[in-house]
Amino acid sequence: MAGNPQISIVVPVYNDPDGLRDTLDSLTEQKSSSRYEIIVVDNNSTDETPQVIEEFEREYPDIVYGLKETDVQSSYAARNTGIENASGEILAFIDADVTVNNDWIERIVGIFEEKNVDYLGCNVEMYISGGEDSIWAEYDASTGLPVEYYLETKQFVPTCALAVRADVIRAVGPFDQRLVSGGDKEFGNRVDRAGLEMRFTDDTTVYHPTRSSLGEHLS
């Protein structure tokens, strides 16, 4: 979408204006010499999420692009819509409500330029957001998302902390949009079977708020 970016960041979102605002604030404050675009895909939100996307498109017209996925209600379908419209040599996926440091893009691009890697998992740090402390939030913070363990034992990285070369999509195909959950594992397993290089980096972190209720865990 943007002119020849090195990296495209795909952010699916459904009914999460506050989380999306936090994510886009962190992505648009990057200190990076790398060319990048942010593709936000609204998966048929019914609240003010579309207005947040439009606000960032107006403020950052050369970086932020809003798209819609209304045919299939699935975050993987939304990610695929982002993939179809991405121009970057590298595709990075994070969720609306996840935030990153202002050198995150530069670090991701540097790893792909310096190392033999096709599929990269970042470290995930869980945190309890203000006013949402509960036994479930404490549980989430203590268990976290052990990305390195998932990659070593189950051959996948959660899509809140994943970056791949665009060539990976051409080799194994996009996410399975029929899935409501587990699409990150199914995709990672295809990458593994294709014999592509899968790595984890603990030097690059995304920050993920804990789920504060039993319902959010079950969901």
Side-chain angles (χ1 to χ4, degrees):
M1 299 185 73
N4 194 31
Q6 291 172 276
I7 182 169
S8 302
I9 300 96
V10 177
V11 186
V13 62
Y14 173 69
N15 283 355
D16 190 5
D18 293 336
L20 179 62
R21 187 180 298 279
D22 290 342
T23 300
L24 293 181
D25 278 339
S26 73
L27 289 175
T28 53
E29 292 171 359
Q30 294 291 299
K31 295 180 178 179
S32 174
S33 60
S34 302
R35 302 178 304 280
Y36 68 95
E37 63 182 3
I38 303 163
I39 301 175
V40 188
V41 186
D42 179 21
N43 197 199
N44 210 23
S45 294
T46 58
D47 60 6
E48 62 269 30
T49 296
Q51 284 72 45
V52 174
I53 298 172
E54 291 170 4
E55 172 190 329
F56 277 87
E57 283 186 295
R58 287 194 300 271
E59 189 169 355
Y60 302 95
D62 298 325
I63 299 176
V64 178
Y65 303 90
L67 299 174
K68 296 182 184 294
E69 170 52 60
T70 57
D71 293 335
V72 180
Q73 196 65 43
S74 160
S75 65
Y76 302 109
R79 292 183 183 97
N80 286 346
T81 296
I83 289 169
E84 291 168 4
N85 290 274
S87 304
E89 303 160 11
I90 303 163
L91 305 176
F93 304 93
I94 64 173
D95 293 345
D97 75 359
V98 169
T99 55
V100 295
N101 293 325
N102 62 11
D103 63 348
W104 180 75
I105 286 176
E106 198 73 3
R107 285 178 176 271
I108 294 287
V109 172
I111 291 170
F112 277 93
E113 287 180 342
E114 297 167 10
K115 298 184 182 297
N116 176 29
V117 57
D118 299 303
Y119 176 103
L120 181 70
C122 302
N123 183 52
V124 177
E125 183 174 315
M126 305 292 291
Y127 69 94
I128 299 173
S129 55
E132 295 188 358
D133 198 2
S134 68
I135 187 173
W136 297 109
E138 295 285 355
Y139 171 80
D140 219 12
S142 64
T143 56
L145 280 174
V147 177
E148 186 173 19
Y149 171 79
Y150 290 155
L151 185 56
E152 289 178 351
T153 64
K154 303 177 187 297
Q155 294 75 52
F156 85 97
V157 167
T159 40
C160 66
L162 173 66
V164 304
R165 294 191 190 277
D167 286 345
V168 170
I169 305 298
R170 289 187 276 271
V172 306
F175 295 100
D176 186 341
Q177 66 183 25
R178 299 169 299 177
L179 300 175
V180 176
S181 65
D184 44 8
K185 185 174 187 294
E186 191 276 336
F187 177 72
N189 290 171
R190 272 188 277 138
V191 174
D192 179 59
R193 289 195 298 270
L196 300 176
E197 187 65 30
M198 306 171 79
R199 288 178 180 253
F200 168 76
T201 175
D202 58 5
D203 293 333
T204 306
T205 298
V206 304
Y207 301 91
H208 196 306
T210 56
R211 292 154 290 197
S212 59
S213 69
L214 175 59
E216 289 179 355
H217 275 270
L218 293 175
S219 175

